[in-house]
Amino acid sequence: MPKALITGITGQDGSYLADFLLDKGYEVIGVVRRSSTINFDRLRHIQDRLAIVQGDLLDQVSLIHLLQEHQPDEVYNLAAQSFVPTSFNQPVLTGEVTALGVTRMLDAIRTVDRRIRFYQASSSEMFGKVAEVPQTEKTPFHPRSPYGVAKVYGHWITINYRESYGLFACSGILFNHESPRRGLEFLPRKVSYGVARIKAGLQDKLVLGNLEARRDWGYAPDYVRGMWMMLQHDHPDDYVLATGETHTVREFVQIAFSHVGLDWNDHVVIDPKYYRPAEVDLLVGNPAKARAILGWQHSVSFERLVQIMVDADLAMLQEAEIQRTAPNINW
Ligand code: NAP
Ligand code: GDD
């Protein structure tokens, strides 16, 4: 049975990757940092099939010990401070986790067992103020946030350890991918959850920032499949995963509201506090290399993605309402 170690397993991608690898027959080790409140919401359905272990990308000793103890075949480094606005407020922490954390893990692999295959979660945020359209593996980087800068470091240190020490280290340059498990602070989930709450009569307004930004949005389960495919190939390399389509925030909002029969103009309010000090105006990826070499492609359209997310949040609120009003048979 192959063994995979996942950092960031409590996040959106970590939970989907764990689902995927368990289905493939892997033994999955999930690295969780210590906190005073345990939050395994995204893992509840598979918790008893995982080994949850404590570790932190800020603490290299913990990473070395984990690799020595569990001897994984594959390491997926998904942990990061991943929210762009927070990176402007906490640029040093973002650099420690999202940039130097990658070096800590790579060097732990170099120290413990160089045969371990490594996946780094790089990002389309690295393209930032884009040098060309669409973006490929060869497009120069111009990051626009401390998060993007940290990801550029993580990307290049991954390549450097591959070239310096012969590690099987891959970097996936992933464009935005979403799902009902997305954090509530990211635009697509903020919108799907807000729409569901407005439809349920729990709120009337949804306060957003820049509606003109364009993103290449896909469905998260498609993207974790691509991570695994990179590590199964004969040679380590870097790949863009994207849909090849770009849409504005405004389009996302409009489709989400119209899906439940509402007009977004009646509910959306703009507040400049959600604008960023520097914005990434346009992202659209060219996934031709991943398609040609790995056989990867996305399976969920933009419109379908928006509908999946809104429907999931509507169902979640209905469930919560049923739980609140259902009689408690234990009284
Ligand atoms: P996410 O939901 O924000 O999850 C981030 C994970 O990192 C959480 O499990 C978090 O743990 C963990 N983490 C944060 N700091 C840590 C530390 N110091 N030590 C150990 N773990 C730590 O992110 P995601 O959307 O799943 O994304 C996964 C990765 O892909 C991230 O690296 C992200 O930057 C990158 N990426 C995402 C996208 C996208 O569209 N989703 C696109 C490109 C790249 P807690 O639960 O304890 O906070
Ligand atoms: N979060 C948020 N909240 N974004 C808003 C809002 C709002 O109220 N209003 C408009 N936006 C715009 C942002 O300015 C940005 O242009 C766009 O919506 C998408 O924002 P997010 O969903 O927060 O994602 P992101 O593109 O900044 O970053 C995500 O994708 C990256 C890959 O390109 C994150 O998942 C990163 O971790 C990931 O690397």
Side-chain angles (χ1 to χ4, degrees):
M1 187 190 272
K3 210 188 269 189
L5 183 139
I6 303 175
T7 71
I9 194 162
T10 54
Q12 170 188 259
D13 289 7
S15 67
Y16 282 118
L17 181 63
D19 289 345
F20 178 85
L21 294 176
L22 287 171
D23 283 352
K24 287 247 169 253
Y26 275 69
E27 184 180 339
V28 177
I29 320 291
V31 181
V32 173
R33 57 181 170 160
R34 195 268 160 184
S35 70
S36 66
T37 311
I38 290 175
N39 185 354
F40 293 164
D41 279 1
R42 297 183 176 106
L43 301 175
R44 199 159 288 139
H45 62 294
I46 49 170
Q47 208 176 317
D48 54 3
R49 298 168 65 201
L50 299 170
I52 302 276
V53 297
Q54 263 191 29
D56 199 307
L57 281 194
L58 297 175
D59 184 328
Q60 184 154 12
V61 172
S62 71
L63 304 180
I64 291 173
H65 286 166
L66 285 175
L67 296 185
Q68 284 172 336
E69 188 181 343
H70 296 283
Q71 301 179 4
D73 303 293
E74 298 171 4
V75 167
Y76 295 85
N77 185 40
L78 309 188
Q81 191 305 95
S82 75
F83 191 46
V84 170
T86 297
S87 79
F88 286 103
N89 300 330
Q90 300 180 22
V92 176
L93 175 83
T94 301
E96 284 287 353
V97 180
T98 306
L100 281 177
V102 188
T103 310
R104 293 191 187 96
M105 182 57 93
L106 282 165
D107 211 74
I109 290 174
R110 183 176 77 91
T111 305
V112 175
D113 182 356
R114 295 184 186 198
R115 291 169 305 173
I116 296 171
R117 294 188 172 204
F118 176 79
Y119 173 84
Q120 168 56 18
S122 289
S123 166
S124 50
E125 269 284 314
M126 301 189 301
F127 298 121
K129 195 172 168 60
V130 297
E132 62 179 347
V133 179
Q135 295 86 53
T136 74
E137 293 79 5
K138 294 196 163 72
T139 302
F141 300 134
H142 184 150
R144 296 273 281 169
S145 64
Y147 168 79
V149 173
K151 282 290 181 185
V152 172
Y153 175 93
H155 180 74
W156 280 111
I157 200 71
T158 300
I159 294 170
N160 181 256
Y161 269 60
R162 181 168 78 215
E163 294 177 350
S164 304
Y165 307 115
L167 294 193
F168 194 109
C170 296
S171 175
I173 306 174
L174 271 51
F175 283 65
N176 299 48
H177 44 278
E178 315 294 328
S179 74
R181 296 188 199 168
R182 187 56 138 153
L184 286 166
E185 68 274 40
F186 297 91
L187 182 279
R189 186 74 198 288
K190 183 173 173 181
V191 172
S192 65
Y193 186 64
V195 165
R197 281 180 55 87
I198 289 169
K199 184 68 182 171
L202 297 171
Q203 70 186 58
D204 185 48
K205 298 295 177 203
L206 179 61
V207 186
L208 299 175
N210 178 12
L211 300 184
E212 308 311 326
R214 304 184 77 94
R215 290 290 181 277
D216 180 330
W217 277 296
Y219 184 47
D222 283 341
Y223 290 65
V224 301
R225 177 167 41 83
M227 297 173 187
W228 175 79
M229 289 169 115
M230 289 180 211
L231 294 201
Q232 309 318 305
H233 196 62
D234 295 341
H235 305 289
D237 206 342
D238 310 317
Y239 297 92
V240 161
L241 298 187
T243 70
E245 269 184 40
T246 189
H247 297 273
T248 59
V249 170
R250 186 189 299 273
E251 283 172 83
F252 194 107
V253 169
Q254 187 258 321
I255 294 174
F257 275 93
S258 72
H259 184 55
V260 298
L262 296 173
D263 183 344
W264 69 276
N265 289 294
D266 298 334
H267 302 281
V268 171
V269 175
I270 302 301
D271 187 334
K273 85 172 177 195
Y274 290 111
Y275 285 34
R276 295 172 182 185
E279 177 64 281
V280 172
D281 295 320
L282 164 68
L283 290 177
V284 56
N286 178 353
K289 180 178 172 184
R291 196 181 307 128
I293 297 177
L294 303 176
W296 180 87
Q297 59 184 13
H298 76 288
S299 71
V300 175
S301 71
F302 173 66
E303 286 77 10
R304 185 74 199 112
L305 170 69
V306 181
Q307 291 162 2
I308 289 172
M309 293 181 71
V310 172
D311 287 344
D313 277 326
L314 285 169
M316 199 256 291
L317 286 182
Q318 273 165 9
E319 179 98 344
E321 179 66 11
I322 288 163
Q323 283 169 5
R324 195 174 62 76
T325 54
N328 181 352
I329 54 165
N330 290 323
W331 79 73

